[in-house]
Amino acid sequence: MPESYDAIVIGAGHNGLIAANYLARAGRRVLVLEARDVVGGACTTEQLIPGADWSSCAFIAGLLRPEIISDLELEKYGLEMYQTEAMEVVIFDDGSHMFMWKDIDRTLKELERFSKADAKAFLDFGLRIKRFAQIITPFLMRPPTSRSAVLRAFEEAGAEDLFDEFVLSSTKDLLDRYFESEHIKGLFTFFGMISVWGGPSTPGTGYVYGHHSVGEFQGHLGQWGLVKGGMGGITQAMTRAAEAHGATVRLRAPVEEVLVSGTRARGVRLASGEEILAPVVLSNADPARSMLQLLPKGTVKPDLEEAMRRYDNRGSMARIHLLIDELPQYIGFGPGQGPQHEAQQIMGASVENFERAWEAQRRGELPGEFVIEAMIQSTTDPGLAPAGKHTMTLGVQQLPFELAGTTWDEERERFADAVLENLFRYAPNLRDHILERVVITPLDLERDYGLTGGNIFHGAMFLEQLFGSRPAPELAGYRTPVRGYYLCGSGTHPGGGVMGANGHNAAKVVLDDLAGRTADAPPPVRRAARRGLPDLVMSSKAGRELGYRVARQPALRRVVKIFTRSGG
């Protein structure tokens, strides 16, 4: 007789594990089934090269909701996160560079080297982001409301312009409103180009920027950290937490089909033929895979099936993992290890390069000039690499999933060679110090990590696929037309990234349904927009000048940090 559980979760990515944790803590008997031999999905640590561990896909932690870290006691189960002093460094081909530091006074002085006006504008921009976050954050940890309800929240806060800037506008238009330096705009543009099918001028990319800007680290908005042992430290802690509360996690157990009887889910069948029963099944796969591949043919009505076939999964990226025996000696820097090796490194970041990358992406081609992001986590977490060696991860955004006239398998090595040639312009010494490399193409993201179209967000993050329309109006509340079958992955509200709200929200909906509480929750309570002291100070020209002078003072860092906390 088939084994049975109260709930089955398909996929041990972070959202699936979060859902499993909340269900297990509610006393449900939960089974998590993972096709691969490691937990985490795209939030994982893998030994891609013998002796070295890598965050193979996601490598920065800044979106994971603090409520989830607290609820699931992830630190108790081994999660260890930390920050570097330098957050980002952008390196330009003329040998100049610019740091974004954890401490705002250091960042302001860095920006001043390129534009004093932009350094002052940076404070105002930061307060705008903070206000955007205050309005949007209450919508994250709950089932989605309609897009009109979200807009109404901005209207009631007297902040329609924020909605226009951070939801509707392009990244280029957003940044042009605040900054003049092309160097500064080049750096910030990167955060609006993550896994998009578009360029800086594409309307809606402002939300991709805004989505990342609402992240926080230890209560500080817009900051991020690293995870000791790589990003798998997050999902390994989640796995231990789930197992401690009675959940079972099985690896190498790919699900072939969700079992459906009439209009109800009743379990799953594995690729091995084994059947496992449960009245509740949650899919952490992307919406297209969940609705078109995992359900028996004919289960989904034609209109919804067509909507899922039209669901926009465009916008991909690639990773190149390098094992090196010497740190990059970047142009414009002296010899030896420095903060440039501990920060997220970005090379070739210019608005024009991002626009040209979009033109190539649209044609199914590779650009001549790559914008490259890099992380060398082994400089701050030496256990990731053998002694005397380092793990260096490169990322390239704005890539087509389908290449004109060729395939990613055919172009894999030529693509990696071209990216490295770009890299050598910034770090010439690396030409002779790369020991091994592993390339993860957009096709690999679909084939090996289960990301349809190679989209790390499980679908485009434009307004037509957000809030009550993610992934489609009929599926926006995590429920599907098949009773007992739910979606919990990044293709649901509130979107992609290692945020975890999706898994949290889906689990709450399941528990409500099991308890007979099937009515959708009301929209979040919206209080009148509270203007804190920083907002009041910065509302006048004299106040902005005063705020700028205060923020530049290292002696006042503790005071400034109080005002930059996410809830302040």
Side-chain angles (χ1 to χ4, degrees), residues 222-459:
Q223 295 194 8
W224 53 263
L226 297 169
V227 180
K228 186 172 177 59
M231 291 293 281
I234 293 175
T235 43
Q236 289 160 17
M238 290 175 178
T239 300
R240 288 189 287 269
E243 291 175 337
H245 288 82
T248 300
V249 179
R250 282 181 58 180
L251 303 178
R252 304 179 190 88
V255 172
E256 183 175 88
E257 187 174 78
V258 175
L259 301 175
V260 178
S261 179
T263 61
R264 286 200 63 96
R266 64 180 186 88
V268 300
R269 181 169 55 250
L270 305 185
S272 64
E274 177 186 0
E275 292 189 356
I276 308 171
L277 302 182
V280 170
V281 178
L282 296 91
S283 175
N284 190 40
D286 64 74
R289 189 177 299 262
S290 298
M291 300 304 295
L292 301 178
Q293 294 184 33
L294 290 178
L295 289 174
K297 189 174 181 179
T299 302
V300 179
K301 291 183 178 180
D303 286 352
L304 181 56
E305 181 176 336
E306 180 59 27
M308 285 294 93
R309 295 195 186 283
R310 293 197 310 269
Y311 182 69
D312 189 357
N313 282 305
R314 295 174 300 172
S316 193
M317 57 163 296
R319 289 267 187 254
I320 303 174
H321 299 288
L322 307 174
L323 184 65
I324 57 179
D325 62 4
E326 182 175 288
L327 288 173
Q329 297 175 17
Y330 287 123
I331 56 174
F333 288 93
Q337 183 173 334
Q340 69 273 21
H341 299 115
E342 300 176 359
Q344 180 185 19
Q345 303 128 53
I346 302 176
M347 291 152 274
S350 72
V351 176
E352 281 306 308
N353 277 347
F354 287 115
E355 290 286 15
R356 283 192 286 266
W358 160 227
E359 292 170 5
Q361 183 186 41
R362 183 166 44 83
R363 295 192 300 267
E365 300 173 355
L366 299 176
E369 181 84 10
F370 295 97
V371 179
I372 303 171
E373 61 173 324
M375 178 61 69
I376 314 173
Q377 189 176 347
S378 56
T379 58
T380 56
D381 190 357
L384 294 174
K389 299 179 177 63
H390 284 286
T391 57
M392 184 176 189
T393 294
L394 309 180
V396 177
Q397 303 288 340
Q398 294 176 280
L399 293 176
F401 180 74
E402 296 181 352
L403 293 171
T406 185
T407 68
W408 274 108
D409 285 341
E410 292 174 346
E411 295 301 316
R412 174 192 308 276
E413 300 306 327
R414 282 193 290 269
F415 162 73
D417 288 343
V419 172
L420 291 182
E421 284 301 319
N422 276 203
L423 175 66
F424 296 151
R425 286 170 32 203
Y426 299 92
N429 70 306
L430 282 183
R431 188 181 295 276
D432 301 317
H433 291 281
I434 297 174
L435 303 179
E436 296 185 64
R437 76 185 187 193
V438 172
V439 184
I440 299 176
T441 70
L443 179 59
D444 295 325
L445 290 177
E446 177 176 271
R447 185 169 51 199
D448 299 334
Y449 294 88
L451 302 171
T452 301
N455 189 290
I456 61 172
F457 293 151
H458 285 197

Side-chain angles (χ1 to χ4, degrees), residues 28-97:
R28 306 295 173 171
R29 189 164 179 257
V30 183
L31 172 66
V32 182
L33 297 169
E34 170 56 46
R36 305 181 72 226
D37 60 0
V38 62
V39 299
C43 178
T44 189
T45 300
E46 300 179 79
Q47 193 169 101
L48 299 175
I49 295 171
D53 294 319
W54 312 79
S55 295
S56 48
C57 296
F59 59 52
I60 284 174
L63 290 176
L64 184 60
R65 293 304 307 168
E67 302 96 324
I68 293 172
I69 295 174
S70 175
D71 286 351
L72 304 187
E73 304 173 284
L74 295 183
E75 293 176 351
K76 171 182 173 181
Y77 291 101
L79 176 63
E80 185 176 340
M81 302 171 73
Y82 65 96
Q83 273 189 306
T84 55
E85 291 298 315
M87 306 293 290
E88 287 100 24
V89 59
V90 58
I91 305 168
F92 302 104
D93 55 12
D94 62 1
S96 62
H97 62 266

Side-chain angles (χ1 to χ4, degrees), residues 109-177:
K109 290 169 185 174
E110 193 79 359
L111 297 178
E112 284 176 359
R113 298 194 298 111
F114 293 86
S115 168
K116 188 167 184 178
D118 282 1
K120 292 182 176 181
F122 180 73
L123 279 185
D124 186 45
F125 187 59
L127 287 174
R128 298 283 286 171
I129 289 174
K130 183 176 181 180
R131 196 166 185 222
F132 171 76
Q134 288 171 334
I135 298 172
I136 205 74
T137 297
F139 289 94
L140 302 181
M141 294 285 285
R142 60 169 312 283
T145 54
S146 66
R147 291 169 292 183
S148 59
V150 178
L151 172 58
R152 188 160 58 250
F154 282 86
E155 291 174 338
E156 292 176 358
E160 300 97 319
D161 54 343
L162 276 180
F163 186 87
D164 292 341
E165 289 181 4
F166 286 96
V167 179
L168 301 179
S169 76
S170 69
T171 299
K172 184 177 187 304
D173 286 344
L174 170 65
L175 296 176
D176 281 348
R177 295 185 187 190

